[in-house]
């Protein structure tokens, strides 16, 4: 007897979600009798924060778009909840109920969809479970803690995630160390990215510049902190030209703090948000990266690029213990010292963690198939096909 079709909804909402979803979608497409509905909440909607990733990563168009847009935490989370609940109810009413919801990372869309699915009795799988910064001033930490407390399948990217979940009383067959799915995408696309012409267009040589991104509220929503950071970046750029890919939240903060023109005449190249390939071309050939991004801490770890992390804590401790990332918080002396160490060749080399091997998407697909009672075939790392 053949197994019944099992229906799974994969939720994406913000930039890092798209990059994590691509290999999972690819691996799931190879498993018979799983039907995946790709749900885009619309948390990120500018083409350079959303569409470009679908195009460049050869992802299919979302089946459902909830169009929630921006808003305060409560407004955004509430809108996703209302619209995701409507979607799940419609699926039940048309005889195609969703058997499992898969959420990624720690954004508001992750939390909102987990709450809705759990209350409807639909099991939730969380990819990137267990990460903890232990800093509840970060909205993402609240999203992580609540999501993990409700999810029944906890798929971890690094051992600290497993340890945190065990400490919180989770265990048994719920927790799986699957590796880092964002790195699947990176390995699949890095060669293609390095064939882009962005370095030539910006007059940069490999190893001859640094990359900056900032978007954490703790760095950009406080005008004094942002002014200080821009000042120190201008100073650093005298030694090493910098490319700053500015997130819309940061663009707005720079405008409001009247800092927009501050970098004119400096060695900082100000760009808008970049597509995946151009950005990977930039990061993978940089001398160093300065960032408060979660994903970028991990990508620099996989690439072996020094990363000065502009935060005082991280939920991704493996990037410190194995990767070449260093927390500098808002201590600008430590930041300057880190840059000096990199330029002097006196900065520790990192290594790529175990299971950050380009196959996390396959492991996730296999576990999901198993959880739905389906025999899992061995999916091949198909993103490599898409990147060719
Ligand atoms: C969100 C996530 C953060 C993640 C980041 C990835 C939450 C709480 N935060 O932060 O964890 O690291 O995405 O980039 O979920 N905006 C645009 N165009 C867009 C989207 C946003 O201009 O397409 C502007 C709007 O002014 C908006 C602001 O950016 O108010 C913030 O967007 P939002 O999604 O609320 O949070 P992010 O800072 O992007
Ligand atoms: N990224 C990108 N273009 C940019 C900045 C970042 O493609 O201009 C990619 C980056 O390489 C990583 C992901 O976006 O894959 C990280 O997203 P972000 O920093 O927005 O969120 P976080 O990881 O901090 O949640």
């Amino acid at each position: 007897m053949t197994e019944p079709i099992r229906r799974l909804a994969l939720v994406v909402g913000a930039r890092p979600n798209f990059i994590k979803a691509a290999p999972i979608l690819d691996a799931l497409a190879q498993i018979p009798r799983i039907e995946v509905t790709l749900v885009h909440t619309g948390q990120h909607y500018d083409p350079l924060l959303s569409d470009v990733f679908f195009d460049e990563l050869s992802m299919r168009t979302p089946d459902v778009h909830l169009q929630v847009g921006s808003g305060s935490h409560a407004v955004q989370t509430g809108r996703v909840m209302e619209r995701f609940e409507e979607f799940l109810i419609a699926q039940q009413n048309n005889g195609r109920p969703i058997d499992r919801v898969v959420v990624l990372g720690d954004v508001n869309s992750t939390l909102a969809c987990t709450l809705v699915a759990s209350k409807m009795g639909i099991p939730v799988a969380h990819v990137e479970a267990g990460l903890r910064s232990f800093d509840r001033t970060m909205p993402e930490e609240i999203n992580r803690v609540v999501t993990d407390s409700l999810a029944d399948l906890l798929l971890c990217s690094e051992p600290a995630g497993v340890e945190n979940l065990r400490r919180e009383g989770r265990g048994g067959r719920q927790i799986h160390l699957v590796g880092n799915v964002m790195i699947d995408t990176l390995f699949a696309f890095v060669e293609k990215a390095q064939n882009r012409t962005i370095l030539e267009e910006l007059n940069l040589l490999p190893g001859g510049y640094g990359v900056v991104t900032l978007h954490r509220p703790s760095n950009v929503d406080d005008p004094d902190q942002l002014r200080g950071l821009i000042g120190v970046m201008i100073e650093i750029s005298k030694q090493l030209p910098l490319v700053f890919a500015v997130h819309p939240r940061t663009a707005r903060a720079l405008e409001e703090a009247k800092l927009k023109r501050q970098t004119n005449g400096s060695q900082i190249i100000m760009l808008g948000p970049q597509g995946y390939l151009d950005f990977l071309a930039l990061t993978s050939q940089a001398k160093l990266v300065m960032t408060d991004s979660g994903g970028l801490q991990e990508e620099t770890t996989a690439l072996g690029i020094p990363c000065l992390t502009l935060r005082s804590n991280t939920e991704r401790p493996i990037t410190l213990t194995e990767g070449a990332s260093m927390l500098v918080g808002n201590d600008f002396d430590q930041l300057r010292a880190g840059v000096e160490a990199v330029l002097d060749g006196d900065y520790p080399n990192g290594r790529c963690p175990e299971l950050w091997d380009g196959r996390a998407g396959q492991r996730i697909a296999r576990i999901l198939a198993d959880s739905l009672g389906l025999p899992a075939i061995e999916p091949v790392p198909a993103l490599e096909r898409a990147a060719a």
Side-chain angles (χ1 to χ4, degrees), residues 171-197:
R173 288 168 49 83
Q174 292 184 313
I175 306 175
H176 301 263
L177 183 62
V178 293
N180 192 322
V181 76
M182 197 175 222
I183 303 307
D184 288 14
T185 307
L186 182 144
F187 286 154
F189 284 91
V190 68
E191 200 179 317
K192 185 172 187 176
Q194 292 187 345
N195 287 327
R196 306 277 286 191
T197 55

Side-chain angles (χ1 to χ4, degrees), residues 124-277:
V124 174
H126 183 206
V127 175
E128 214 180 83
L131 297 181
R132 298 286 181 270
S133 64
F134 304 103
D135 173 2
R136 296 234 175 148
T137 66
M138 285 184 83
E140 293 81 2
E141 182 71 356
I142 295 168
N143 294 345
R144 291 180 203 116
V145 168
V146 178
T147 299
D148 284 338
S149 73
L150 295 173
D152 75 308
L153 206 47
L154 300 154
L155 304 166
C156 301
S157 53
E158 61 169 280
V162 175
E163 287 156 29
N164 292 331
L165 291 166
R166 290 220 173 107
R167 204 176 316 115
E168 290 170 15
R170 309 303 294 273
R173 288 168 49 83
Q174 292 184 313
I175 306 175
H176 301 263
L177 183 62
V178 293
N180 192 322
V181 76
M182 197 175 222
I183 303 307
D184 288 14
T185 307
L186 182 144
F187 286 154
F189 284 91
V190 68
E191 200 179 317
K192 185 172 187 176
Q194 292 187 345
N195 287 327
R196 306 277 286 191
T197 55
I198 178 120
L199 264 67
E200 289 95 310
E201 286 162 32
L202 298 177
N203 236 335
L204 298 168
L205 290 173
Y209 62 93
V211 171
V212 182
T213 79
L214 288 174
H215 70 279
R216 294 279 157 229
S218 58
N219 277 328
V220 309
D221 288 2
D222 171 0
D224 291 334
Q225 170 70 3
L226 187 58
R227 187 170 298 108
L229 275 166
I230 298 295
V232 74
M233 293 300 166
I234 292 173
E235 210 185 287
I236 291 167
S237 74
K238 291 177 186 155
Q239 283 179 285
L240 183 73
L242 298 178
V243 180
F244 186 175
V246 183
H247 185 283
R249 173 190 281 276
T250 313
R252 200 181 56 190
L254 287 169
E255 177 92 54
E256 282 170 5
K258 303 202 183 350
L259 288 166
K260 224 178 148 196
R261 274 190 281 280
Q262 197 87 353
T263 55
N264 287 357
S266 76
Q267 295 271 61
I268 304 183
I269 303 170
M270 300 289 274
L271 303 175
Q274 296 296 292
Y276 186 74
L277 294 173

